[in-house]
Amino acid sequence: MRGFVTGTARMAAGFAVGAAAISALPQNADAGAFAIREQSAYSQGASFAGNATCGESVQGMFWNSAIVTCHGGRNFEASASLIIPDAEITTLAGTAVPTLGDPGSYGQFGFVPSSSSSWQLNEQWYVGITTNGPYGLGVKPDFPSSGMSYSREGKIFSLNFNPTIGYKPTDWLSLGFGVQIQYFDLLEFSRSAVPGGGGIINLEGDDWGYGFTFGALITPMEGTEIGIGYRSSVKHDIEGTINAPGLFTAITAEADMPELVTVSLRQRLNDRWTALGTFEWTNWSNLPDAKIIAPAAGGQIATLPFNYEDGYYFALGAEYEYNDDLTLRAGAAWEISPIGDESRSVSLPDDDRLWLSFGGSYDYDERLTFNFGYSFITTFNTQIALQPGNPWFSAAQGTFFGDVDNTVHILSFGARYKFGDHEPELTKF
């Protein structure tokens, strides 16, 4: 950590913000850095390959606003994902206080709901809304442990409302535009004040932020869909408190959530098989650092050097129409994490990861469809080296070296209901 002012209380507050804030933001390795990818049970089954194209779902609106135009009438779709981490950190030689034990199992179970709806107004205009939690979950290493001076507990909650309008000027082109209204809440984040465990430091705060979304859907020929989606950065001016030994005061911090660009392809191969693909870029370098301000403690007390690189996601998958009612899908993906070896910490042991998924859809009748998906995620040879050169290292917090064994299981279930067909004579512009 860098930029701490002098004074024992202010220094403790600075250390707290650095460790607690980064603990607040990470996930259980189910998406790069602290984002949540589980926004659709339909797309989960193919590792999100093709997620920005139509298919038989409206939840792709999260990645591409133009998907609001994909289905006529009125549609509502909801999903829920259970995230089951199996992640452990083992202390290695060189750690400042190795006798305190391993951080152990740091991942927490997560439950992620999401929903999308679309409504066709006439032959060209559509409206809809998505409700998602794009960031969240948390970490909680075993306590006491050798890494508790960097992370003890972290939780975050977010909620994003995205009302959307779609326009379909031709049969081969659809456009969509939406507004993001996002709530971001650092719920409870703590670490020990010193490596040996003396004192507890907590941070909390929240904010509402705003952004926009844009998307296009191109159908150059029958059976081919190309989807391009953009989610803007959402800036949060977080206001909260820091509670440290000898200090309890208000703090503020600015954090710009990353932009997201998604490009997907859906290609019909024959009557039963469809190929799927997705490329995704997340502008995590938009968050190089965050300045923590505590007016009562003299102003800026810390700079959090995230040092993130951009994140990338590559997915390939396929769908197989088993019969008129059942469609099966599977996919694999490789995700390049924005967290590198040089900046990994106990509170964010993120790394590149492999996704393997399968799932399907079952048409109960003409209006109701059930979706399900399962994903297995794993990283390889992940280690933590909190030492000089790592931007999160602090001499006061001591060195920490650890080996990370990280796998995640995700179960997703969802349903889509079509309320009725469109009657264009009822609504005309």
Side-chain angles (χ1 to χ4, degrees):
M1 296 202 177
R2 305 168 182 168
F4 293 105
V5 298
T6 58
T8 303
R10 293 178 184 177
M11 187 174 293
F15 290 148
V17 172
I22 194 62
S23 298
L25 302 176
Q27 300 313 301
N28 301 322
D30 60 296
F34 50 86
I36 299 178
R37 192 177 301 281
E38 289 68 41
Q39 309 297 343
S40 167
Y42 179 89
S43 294
Q44 185 83 46
S47 291
F48 301 94
N51 58 343
T53 59
C54 283
E56 296 300 323
S57 173
V58 296
Q59 288 205 280
M61 289 168 58
F62 177 83
W63 296 278
N64 181 359
S65 297
I67 289 179
V68 71
T69 68
C70 286
H71 301 284
R74 297 182 299 276
N75 300 269
F76 175 78
E77 187 170 351
S79 296
S81 296
L82 180 63
I83 301 173
I84 308 169
D86 183 10
E88 292 196 2
I89 300 176
T90 303
T91 304
L92 299 179
T95 297
V97 190
T99 57
L100 291 177
D102 297 327
S105 179
Y106 65 88
Q108 293 181 291
F109 288 92
F111 179 75
V112 182
S114 61
S115 68
S116 300
S117 61
S118 67
W119 182 15
Q120 184 180 12
L121 300 178
N122 59 32
E123 296 297 337
Q124 292 184 314
W125 291 94
Y126 300 71
V127 294
I129 186 171
T130 65
T131 303
N132 308 86
Y135 310 101
L137 303 181
V139 292
K140 187 177 181 180
D142 293 346
F143 183 83
S145 73
S146 300
M148 63 187 177
S149 63
Y150 284 99
S151 179
R152 181 172 178 180
E153 185 169 6
K155 295 179 182 179
I156 188 174
F157 171 81
S158 69
L159 188 61
N160 184 290
F161 302 98
N162 184 198
T164 301
I165 185 168
Y167 177 59
K168 191 171 185 177
T170 70
D171 290 339
W172 61 270
L173 176 65
S174 295
L175 303 173
F177 177 81
V179 176
Q180 296 188 68
I181 306 167
Q182 183 166 285
Y183 178 66
F184 189 87
D185 190 3
L186 306 181
L187 292 169
E188 179 187 357
F189 310 100
S190 64
R191 75 165 188 85
S192 298
V194 295
I200 299 174
I201 305 172
N202 295 296
L203 173 74
E204 61 179 18
D206 61 359
D207 180 59
W208 286 92
Y210 307 92
F212 67 92
T213 60
F214 177 79
L217 190 67
I218 303 168
T219 308
M221 64 185 72
E222 185 178 357
T224 301
E225 295 178 22
I226 301 171
I228 304 171
Y230 174 80
R231 294 181 67 88
S232 76
S233 173
V234 176
K235 180 179 180 180
H236 287 286
D237 295 315
I238 298 170
E239 296 183 357
T241 59
I242 182 76
N243 187 357
L247 179 66
F248 178 80
T249 187
I251 60 97
T252 64
E254 293 185 1
D256 293 342
M257 297 300 104
E259 301 161 281
L260 176 66
V261 175
T262 307
V263 180
S264 293
L265 172 67
R266 174 178 292 268
Q267 178 62 57
R268 186 79 172 177
L269 302 178
N270 54 40
D271 290 343
R272 294 193 179 273
W273 287 97
T274 300
L276 309 168
T278 284
F279 165 77
E280 186 177 279
W281 168 71
T282 309
N283 187 18
W284 281 112
S285 59
N286 191 46
L287 186 64
D289 57 42
K291 295 176 174 59
I292 309 302
I293 308 298
Q300 182 177 331
I301 60 174
T303 298
L304 308 183
F306 290 99
N307 282 22
Y308 285 172
E309 300 173 354
D310 290 344
Y312 298 91
Y313 188 82
F314 307 87
L316 292 174
E319 287 185 344
Y320 176 70
E321 190 174 325
Y322 181 78
N323 57 37
D324 291 342
D325 298 324
L326 179 63
T327 300
L328 303 175
R329 59 185 60 90
W334 181 253
E335 184 166 11
I336 299 176
S337 170
I339 309 299
D341 293 342
E342 68 284 351
S343 58
R344 191 172 296 117
S345 182
V346 178
S347 52
L348 187 47
D350 196 22
D351 201 357
D352 300 346
R353 58 181 64 82
L354 173 69
W355 289 68
L356 299 173
S357 307
F358 68 87
S361 300
Y362 176 73
D363 295 332
Y364 180 78
D365 57 28
E366 294 181 353
R367 297 185 183 275
L368 180 61
T369 299
F370 295 103
N371 300 310
F372 67 94
Y374 165 78
S375 293
F376 171 77
I377 308 171
T378 187
T379 61
F380 303 92
N381 301 320
T382 302
Q383 291 193 338
I384 299 169
L386 282 159
Q387 60 183 335
N390 186 315
W392 294 105
F393 170 75
S394 165
Q397 292 168 261
T399 56
F400 179 85
F401 296 87
D403 183 73
V404 183
D405 184 7
N406 198 351
T407 60
V408 182
H409 303 270
I410 302 173
L411 296 172
S412 296
F413 299 92
R416 172 187 166 221
Y417 189 80
K418 184 175 182 179
F419 288 90
D421 294 328
H422 165 59
E423 297 181 12
E425 70 274 16
L426 295 179
T427 309
K428 292 186 178 181
F429 286 4

